[in-house]
Amino acid sequence: MNLFLSQISAIVWKDFVTELKTRELLSAMFIFALLVILIFIFSVNLSVVKANEVGPGILWVAFLFSGTIGLNRSFMLEKENGCLMGLILVPADRTAIYFGKLISNFVFLSIMELFILPLFMIFFNIDLLAHLLPLLLVIFLGTLGFCALGTLLSSLASNLKTREIMLPILLYPLLVPIVIGVVRMTGQVLAGEPLSEMMNWIGLTASFDIIYIGVSIMTIDHILEE
Amino acid sequence: MDNLGFLFAANAFVWGGIIYYVYTLKQRNRALEKDLELLKETLSKEG
Amino acid sequence: MSSDEIEENEEEGNILVWLTGLVFLAAMIAIFIYVPTEKTEGVVQRIMYFHIPCAWLSFFAFFVVFICSILFLWKKDREWDIYSHASAEIGVIFCSLVLITGPIWAKPIWGAWWVWDARLTSTLILWLIYVSYLMLRAQSDAGSMRARYAAVLGIVGFLDIPLIHFSVLWWRAFHPQPKVITSEGIGKGMDPTMLATLGISLCAFTLLYFLLMGVRVRQEKLKDEIDRLKREKIYSS
Amino acid sequence: MVDNHNPSDSAIEVRDLRKEFGVLKAVDGISFDLKRGEFLSVFGPNGAGKTTLIKILAGLTRPSFGTARVAGYEVEEGKSEMRREIGVISHSTALYADLTPMENLIFLGKMYGLERPKESALMVLEDVGLAPRRNDRVRTFSRGMLQRLSIARAILHDPSILFLDEPFTGLDIHASNVLKEQLQALHNKKRTILMTTHDISCGLEMCDKVALQVMGRFAFFEDVEEVSKENFETMYFDAVRNNQFTMGIRNS
């Protein structure tokens, strides 16, 4: 068990050292998310539509699109020079590799989201600070679900010739429940509703997270096989 | 209410879809048969 | 496969062809002659006798994909891979027919081709999931990798269906719109003749599924056999 | 776990190994034994299933039939224990290009659960002569240095068996000489080595046993003393030519 945990932390450590040296992933994700938000601002007329109504959707589209970039990049790193094969050779449980990648994807995406949130607050003139805790909970649930399924599918797509195209095609239809759930919850949180009003959505998103982490644990053996 | 056109269209699409699929199946079968013929030919030439 | 087995299979196949044809004939007679025209919706309601069986068939096909995917990962037998491939293909075809006949029915009844009703939306997403399944198969080379990946997606995709269903249902519930039709409206208070017609049609389409599956699976096995012969020929030379 | 560990002097025991999927047969019934400390060179045309053989023995993929014991462990079951005993070198380096050699090796040491990853890393870097460059980025390394580093990577956890999948591909003369020296040294240290290669003189020079793999089977498996280079060369070229000819038929 101890080895299992230290293997997970070794993978996360390795991803962080790489990121500290290259600074490619976070900056790319951040700029991309910013661009998505800008393009949406230009495409809707903010003097007609209420910022509170379109804001949550735009925010999450930005998160998901730039998250997809992050997933692609993260498994590109492993595919380059056949590192993934080297990782499979190690006497580690495959789930350790899955959790290591899941955690580092999750942490990178969360850091990027924390940078985007203040800008979102300024651009849309929405006061996030008043509902910060419930908002963070919603973002946590959504990001975890996205990374749970995304890590599984990107390890699968990384072996395809057309991996950059196939990842979103495989991922987005399956993400529909999460997208609907988090956008609705974010909207309600920003409107000042308490979390107890949206227990069904929280339950749905949490069960998405649990189901996909469970399925990944059961199927990752079959994906990480040469 | 006379919407026979809609009924006809829906019906046509369903049948068209099924027939199209059967047609592609036929096509694939034909390709396989051709392949098989070629194989037999080369085998008999060698044997 | 020995030649006897092939013959036997062919005989069974012929019986299935005739049976399917007969039931389809009966279904056609029932749909266009026997069943009375519905009062409020008019003749368009007859589309339902195609629409519902198509939907049933595609859901059933996707369920088969799910089961066969699990069995594949468990047994690692190419047989299950062939079944899930064939079933997914047929499922996508009929899911497309559902998505085409749905709007054709909706236009005269609801006044719009497409309404973001819960069922329509989830059917569309389902269609997307299984199209991406077929794309994944097309994108990877034949071999155990393709089969394993497809099986994982077959499982992941099917488990998503209940989540999609609830999310789409609640999504609409929060935007109350004038409900043109309740989702149960079709089945409620149905005339027995209508129910019988629907039943016959369901039978016909289910038979058609097994017929198509049989053809598709046999095809795939024949392809394997040809490849095997080719390789053996190469080996002997 | 102790039960299936068989401390015989065989490093690798393979019995009727098959890997097939539907009609594709990559490995089609291979049996052989390799004693501890022996060096086996496997030759064969492209597509003969050499890489698949190594992948099965290294536990990267499961065989469909047959058994393989590596270092006394059943390949299918003895997952972790067996993996500690083996090292793999292929033409892809399996190194993270943005990290330094030290970071790469420390990461790997942690994954293997080594007690002192840093010390072990330094030691193997000394062994392959890369210690002075231990803190440069791997991206800046030449092909020969990369190959040396991937040897360091493979022997970090001190495995008793090494698998090499066409290690000479893409190396210049100097780099392949360095690699040969390293292999010789490992062989002298009584490591068991299984190498696939296309380089006949190189492969024959170092090994104890020779195998020729064609269409997923061993067409030939002998002690190196029994083999004359000329005879083997003709046999090998025949196999390759046949293979190309049949590949042509398949694609037409």
Side-chain angles (χ1 to χ4, degrees), chain D:
Chain D
M1 276 296 118
V2 185
D3 296 346
N4 70 9
H5 190 204
N6 170 20
S8 70
D9 60 348
S10 287
I12 303 175
E13 273 179 61
V14 175
R15 291 287 170 274
D16 195 27
L17 202 63
R18 287 159 200 271
K19 170 80 181 176
E20 51 187 41
F21 186 76
V23 290
L24 303 170
K25 287 181 182 164
V27 173
D28 193 13
I30 290 183
S31 305
F32 70 93
D33 275 313
L34 204 60
K35 290 199 183 67
R36 283 185 189 274
E38 279 187 322
F39 190 136
L40 168 67
S41 290
V42 181
F43 297 89
N46 291 329
K50 303 190 297 290
T51 304
T52 311
L53 177 65
I54 285 194
K55 279 183 177 169
I56 293 174
L57 293 178
L60 285 174
T61 184
R62 280 166 253 214
S64 325
F65 294 106
T67 54
R69 294 176 83 85
V70 170
Y73 296 104
E74 202 78 39
V75 164
E76 262 182 303
E77 301 165 19
K79 281 193 167 171
S80 304
E81 287 84 356
M82 187 206 84
R83 287 201 201 127
R84 267 176 231 286
E85 296 284 331
I86 59 168
V88 177
I89 301 171
S90 68
H91 45 265
S92 54
T93 56
L95 295 161
Y96 294 96
D98 291 312
L99 300 181
T100 67
M102 272 308 267
E103 285 162 343
N104 262 302
L105 294 178
I106 290 175
F107 166 63
L108 206 68
K110 285 182 182 164
M111 293 303 285
Y112 274 97
L114 300 184
E115 303 242 314
R116 296 170 173 199
K118 218 174 243 175
E119 283 76 0
S120 318
L122 256 178
M123 221 167 66
V124 288
L125 282 178
E126 296 277 358
D127 278 356
V128 297
L130 282 176
R133 297 207 54 177
R134 63 176 179 271
N135 289 327
D136 295 349
R137 264 191 217 197
V138 171
R139 204 178 278 290
T140 63
F141 280 26
S142 70
R143 190 78 184 83
M145 283 157 71
L146 281 176
Q147 196 59 279
R148 271 193 273 168
L149 188 54
S150 67
I151 295 174
R153 189 193 178 288
I155 60 173
L156 174 73
H157 54 292
D158 196 25
S160 61
I161 301 172
L162 280 168
F163 296 109
L164 292 101
D165 191 12
E166 296 183 15
F168 292 102
T169 314
L171 292 189
D172 60 25
I173 290 182
H174 173 69
S176 75
N177 280 338
V178 171
L179 178 62
K180 259 191 253 173
E181 269 169 41
Q182 296 285 343
L183 284 179
Q184 208 65 58
L186 287 167
H187 190 198
N188 292 341
K189 278 193 207 164
K190 292 287 170 216
R191 298 285 197 282
T192 314
I193 299 176
L194 192 158
M195 174 172 83
T196 71
T197 181
H198 290 295
D199 190 329
I200 290 193
S201 57
C202 220
L204 286 183
E205 196 178 297
M206 288 186 290
C207 66
D208 305 315
K209 295 230 164 136
V210 189
L212 179 66
Q213 188 170 351
V214 185
M215 293 299 288
R217 297 183 196 179
F218 273 6
F220 180 85
F221 180 77
E222 284 289 346
D223 282 353
V224 74
E225 288 88 25
E226 317 277 322
V227 184
S228 86
K229 195 180 164 191
E230 288 71 33
N231 283 349
F232 188 76
E233 237 162 27
T234 13
M235 203 160 60
Y236 177 67
F237 285 133
D238 276 352
V240 173
R241 200 173 312 118
N242 265 334
N243 192 57
Q244 266 163 359
F245 170 67
T246 46
M247 292 285 240
I249 290 183
R250 265 190 97 194
N251 296 336
S252 68

Side-chain angles (χ1 to χ4, degrees), chain B residues 1-7 9-11 13-18 20-22 24-30 32-33 35-36 39 42-43 46, chain C residues 24 28 32 40-44 46-47 50 89-90 93-94 97 100-101 104 107-108 113 205 208 212 215-216 219 222-223 226 229-230 233:
Chain B
M1 266 213 286
D2 194 14
N3 284 318
L4 275 172
F6 287 101
L7 179 60
N11 206 0
F13 269 114
V14 171
W15 285 109
I18 294 172
Y20 173 74
Y21 187 60
V22 171
T24 56
L25 284 179
K26 262 262 143 58
Q27 262 339 56
R28 274 186 258 186
N29 250 348
R30 204 164 297 155
L32 282 178
E33 267 161 29
D35 223 13
L36 203 62
L39 197 67
T42 36
L43 277 180
E46 302 227 336
Chain C
F24 253 101
M28 285 299 120
F32 290 108
T40 47
E41 290 184 14
V43 285
V44 188
R46 285 175 210 259
I47 292 177
F50 297 103
E89 210 175 279
I90 296 167
I93 296 279
F94 282 90
L97 292 180
I100 293 170
T101 51
I104 294 177
K107 180 67 183 166
W113 292 111
F205 275 87
L208 181 64
L212 291 175
V215 174
R216 191 71 187 84
Q219 216 168 48
L222 183 65
K223 209 159 102 192
I226 290 176
L229 285 175
K230 275 187 188 170
K233 191 196 108 47

Side-chain angles (χ1 to χ4, degrees), chain C residues 38-193:
Chain C
E38 220 248 13
K39 275 182 204 134
T40 47
E41 290 184 14
V43 285
V44 188
Q45 190 265 344
R46 285 175 210 259
I47 292 177
M48 279 298 135
Y49 302 119
F50 297 103
H51 183 73
I52 296 173
C54 280
W56 146 252
L57 196 160
S58 62
F59 291 142
F60 180 67
F62 295 148
F63 180 66
V64 171
V65 175
F66 174 61
I67 296 296
C68 290
S69 298
I70 293 178
L71 284 170
F72 175 78
L73 286 187
W74 184 22
K75 301 273 186 201
K76 290 281 162 77
D77 192 344
R78 164 94 172 120
E79 190 98 3
W80 299 117
D81 183 45
I82 295 177
Y83 289 153
S84 23
H85 184 188
S87 195
E89 210 175 279
I90 296 167
V92 166
I93 296 279
F94 282 90
C95 201
S96 315
L97 292 180
V98 174
L99 287 173
I100 293 170
T101 51
I104 294 177
W105 172 83
K107 180 67 183 166
I109 302 299
W110 290 350
W113 292 111
W114 189 270
V115 175
W116 289 100
D117 155 84
R119 282 202 184 189
L120 283 178
T121 314
S122 28
T123 309
L124 178 64
I125 296 163
L126 206 60
W127 184 81
L128 281 168
I129 290 176
Y130 284 92
V131 167
S132 77
Y133 174 93
L134 290 181
M135 280 177 80
L136 174 68
R137 295 199 72 105
Q139 296 279 332
S140 33
D141 304 323
S144 85
M145 190 184 90
R146 176 175 79 182
R148 280 183 279 119
Y149 288 5
V152 170
L153 196 65
I155 294 170
V156 167
F158 193 79
L159 289 176
D160 214 25
I161 293 177
L163 296 169
I164 292 174
H165 175 76
F166 283 115
S167 64
V168 171
L169 203 66
W170 296 337
W171 174 52
R172 294 321 293 176
F174 280 89
H175 269 230
Q177 280 190 339
K179 276 211 176 132
V180 196
I181 185 171
T182 57
S183 45
E184 282 86 28
I186 302 151
K188 246 186 226 164
M190 251 177 138
D191 193 88
T193 54

